[in-house]
Amino acid sequence: MTVTFPAPGSHDELEEGQRLTPKFDRDGLVGAIVTDVETGDVLMFAHMNAEALAATIETGVAHFFSRSRGKLWRKGETSGHEMSVAEMRVDCDQDALWLRVRVAGTGAACHTGRKSCFYRAVPTGEVGAPLRLVDDARLFDPAKTYGG
Amino acid sequence: MTVTFPAPGSHDELEEGQRLTPKFDRDGLVGAIVTDVETGDVLMFAHMNAEALAATIETGVAHFFSRSRGKLWRKGETSGHEMSVAEMRVDCDQDALWLRVRVAGTGAACHTGRKSCFYRAVPTGEVGAPLRLVDDARLFDPAKTYGG
């Protein structure tokens, strides 16, 4: 499936216009921030190509482009953790998206079994200080789900 | 200033370890999601190189790498909208950061004068539907602040 979006227009159209004209990078991707619509927590960060973005808009279910597998990826297709999009937004220069979602199944977004991919804090003050684990709860067993 | 972080180790060290070993892309950048520590709203998305990441850790104030200007960028250096980092997190594969911040001055994060860069919603259902403006409040006048 070949999907195209209009090319970005003028600076003013890009920032103040009503047309979605994503600024895909040289790999054809835009970044997508995913937050939990209930808690506001950031769950994950992934990338979309034009096909994934179009599939997300058409279905209301989050699709990404898997850089490691080089193909369209309907989030949750293996684990059952589909993401229903409550709201999607685009930023000023249209090179990033923000999806507010409800996660199906256990509610986990991370392939490690945790709710969020952002389970470690980076202390400020000194470069090199150890990361601090802030969420170690596993909502599913990755070995069982992905065939470990 | 040359700043280096340790290179990523094994898959398990990267995901479960306590060492910050960012996976910089071929341009030497990692993505940084910025949310408001009070409301949880996503304010902006930007990039950090090693120098910006180190400066953020050392000072507790958000620094990025400006891709358009090709240099270190202390957010707010022109507008006064500095971002104090309440908490920083790193994701499972260490190629994205999440900063929860307090914004100084008017509290605006976007160069258009709005609080968040994500002021337009992308309706789901049909590709090509017009974007919907969800926040048009300007907290400052960009022309005055940046000398427009």
Side-chain angles (χ1 to χ4, degrees):
Chain A
M1 178 170 67
T2 302
V3 183
T4 54
F5 286 88
S10 71
H11 185 262
D12 194 57
E13 284 169 346
L14 191 66
E15 295 194 346
E16 302 298 333
Q18 289 190 298
R19 280 205 317 163
L20 180 61
T21 59
K23 278 206 318 198
F24 295 106
D25 68 13
R26 59 189 150 167
D27 296 318
L29 303 175
V30 292
I33 301 159
V34 180
T35 66
D36 183 310
V37 69
E38 303 296 341
T39 66
D41 285 348
V42 178
L43 299 175
M44 61 182 282
F45 178 74
H47 295 83
M48 290 185 182
N49 61 0
E51 186 182 6
L53 176 55
T56 302
I57 292 172
E58 281 169 2
T59 65
V61 172
H63 291 67
F64 303 101
F65 179 78
S66 168
R67 294 183 300 171
S68 56
R69 286 174 285 157
K71 62 171 198 162
L72 184 71
W73 163 37
R74 182 169 59 77
K75 173 70 184 172
E77 61 194 3
T78 303
S79 69
H81 297 107
E82 281 200 344
M83 294 178 163
S84 299
V85 178
E87 187 183 52
M88 178 156 57
R89 294 196 188 180
V90 65
D91 76 343
C92 45
D93 61 355
Q94 301 206 27
D95 65 357
L97 298 159
W98 169 22
L99 283 71
R100 299 168 65 214
V101 307
R102 285 186 183 82
V103 184
T106 67
C110 186
H111 74 286
T112 66
R114 298 176 178 94
K115 184 170 173 56
S116 165
C117 295
F118 294 85
Y119 49 83
R120 287 171 296 182
V122 182
T124 54
E126 186 195 348
V127 173
L131 301 176
R132 190 168 50 81
L133 190 62
V134 289
D135 175 19
D136 203 26
R138 312 279 181 145
L139 304 184
F140 69 89
D141 180 347
K144 282 189 188 148
T145 299
Y146 299 112
Chain B
M1 180 171 65
T2 303
V3 183
T4 55
F5 287 88
S10 70
H11 185 261
D12 195 56
E13 285 169 345
L14 191 66
E15 295 194 346
E16 301 299 333
Q18 289 189 298
R19 281 205 314 164
L20 181 62
T21 58
K23 278 206 318 197
F24 295 106
D25 68 13
R26 61 189 150 167
D27 295 319
L29 303 175
V30 291
I33 302 159
V34 180
T35 66
D36 183 311
V37 68
E38 304 295 341
T39 66
D41 285 349
V42 177
L43 297 176
M44 62 182 283
F45 178 74
H47 294 83
M48 289 186 182
N49 62 359
E51 186 183 6
L53 177 55
T56 302
I57 292 173
E58 282 168 2
T59 64
V61 173
H63 291 67
F64 304 100
F65 179 77
S66 168
R67 293 183 300 173
S68 56
R69 285 173 288 154
K71 64 171 197 162
L72 185 70
W73 162 39
R74 183 167 60 77
K75 173 70 184 173
E77 61 194 6
T78 303
S79 68
H81 298 105
E82 281 200 343
M83 294 179 163
S84 300
V85 178
E87 187 184 51
M88 178 157 57
R89 296 196 188 181
V90 65
D91 75 343
C92 45
D93 60 356
Q94 300 206 27
D95 65 356
L97 298 159
W98 170 21
L99 283 71
R100 298 168 65 215
V101 307
R102 286 187 182 81
V103 184
T106 68
C110 185
H111 74 285
T112 65
R114 299 175 178 94
K115 183 169 174 53
S116 165
C117 295
F118 294 85
Y119 48 83
R120 287 171 296 182
V122 182
T124 55
E126 187 196 348
V127 173
L131 302 176
R132 189 168 50 81
L133 190 63
V134 289
D135 175 19
D136 203 25
R138 312 279 180 142
L139 304 185
F140 69 91
D141 179 347
K144 281 188 190 151
T145 298
Y146 300 112

